[in-house]
Amino acid sequence: MKRSIVHWPDPVLTTPTRPVTDFGADLQQLLDEMTEAMHAAEGIGIAANQVGVPLRVALVGRGDGSYFEIVNPEILETSEPVSYREGCLSVPGEWAECPRFRRVRVRYQDRVGASLELDAEDRVAHVLQHEIDHLDGRVYVDRLSPLKRRLVRERTISRKRRLSRRP
Ligand code: CO
């Protein structure tokens, strides 16, 4: 099945996702469909709820165009506050400086359920925080000031209206 990207503020993006307990064929298929959707949208990461599936699964892009899969990820440690300019496939046409950490330590599972831990920094740490936020029901605009968030929300909704009016 071809999956399309859900746009904020859809409830599937603002509700925490469920942990994966079944590492069977459905998960493999979901991961393949997410990969296809991420490449089609030219994203550097994607969370399952961005394609409408409320499960704790995401893809994280590295700087070189490759990516890895994370299932049931948890952030164990963060350090060195920074801010990054962020965008999101679910909030098209918008970018903003967002507070993050330069380093993170995460624990996650791979597609067959093996447990892994990773120390990441800079770009990979940034994508990890963005995608794990998605899985927790949070979009990067939730980390902006209330005023900025309202502006982004109004622009996103009017952009959607404009697009849906097109023949
Ligand atoms: Co995003």
Side-chain angles (χ1 to χ4, degrees), residues 112-132:
V112 293
S115 276
L116 298 156
E117 274 190 25
L118 172 69
D119 286 305
E121 57 180 39
D122 297 322
R123 182 187 162 111
V124 173
H126 173 202
V127 179
L128 279 164
Q129 290 167 84
H130 182 107
E131 302 311 330
I132 294 172

Side-chain angles (χ1 to χ4, degrees), residues 45 50 87-90 130-131 134 139-140:
Q50 288 186 278
C88 178
L89 296 176
S90 293
H130 182 107
E131 302 311 330
H134 272 304
V139 177
Y140 81 93

Side-chain angles (χ1 to χ4, degrees), residues 8-145:
W8 181 74
D10 189 289
V12 77
L13 294 171
T14 56
T15 308
T17 55
R18 293 194 311 270
V20 171
T21 54
D22 181 354
F23 290 80
D26 287 354
L27 176 64
Q28 317 301 319
Q29 192 186 336
L30 172 63
L31 283 162
D32 293 344
E33 288 169 354
M34 286 169 62
T35 304
E36 198 185 326
M38 181 180 75
H39 286 150
E42 296 179 4
I44 56 167
I46 193 167
N49 48 341
Q50 288 186 278
V51 293
V53 179
L55 283 175
R56 206 162 172 82
V57 180
L59 305 180
V60 175
R62 304 184 185 94
D64 60 3
S66 67
Y67 66 92
F68 59 101
E69 302 164 347
I70 55 173
V71 179
N72 299 333
E74 301 293 340
I75 292 181
L76 303 177
E77 282 175 44
T78 56
S79 60
E80 296 181 48
V82 283
S83 80
Y84 289 109
R85 191 167 158 77
E86 285 191 34
C88 178
L89 296 176
S90 293
V91 193
E94 296 287 340
W95 284 269
E97 286 284 326
C98 182
R100 296 289 185 189
F101 294 93
R102 199 171 85 76
R103 295 171 186 277
V104 295
R105 182 171 183 81
V106 295
R107 180 189 297 142
Y108 62 95
Q109 288 170 281
D110 67 12
R111 63 158 68 201
V112 293
S115 276
L116 298 156
E117 274 190 25
L118 172 69
D119 286 305
E121 57 180 39
D122 297 322
R123 182 187 162 111
V124 173
H126 173 202
V127 179
L128 279 164
Q129 290 167 84
H130 182 107
E131 302 311 330
I132 294 172
D133 258 2
H134 272 304
L135 302 178
D136 290 336
R138 211 169 347 190
V139 177
Y140 81 93
V141 293
D142 292 321
R143 295 194 179 275
L144 307 179
S145 70

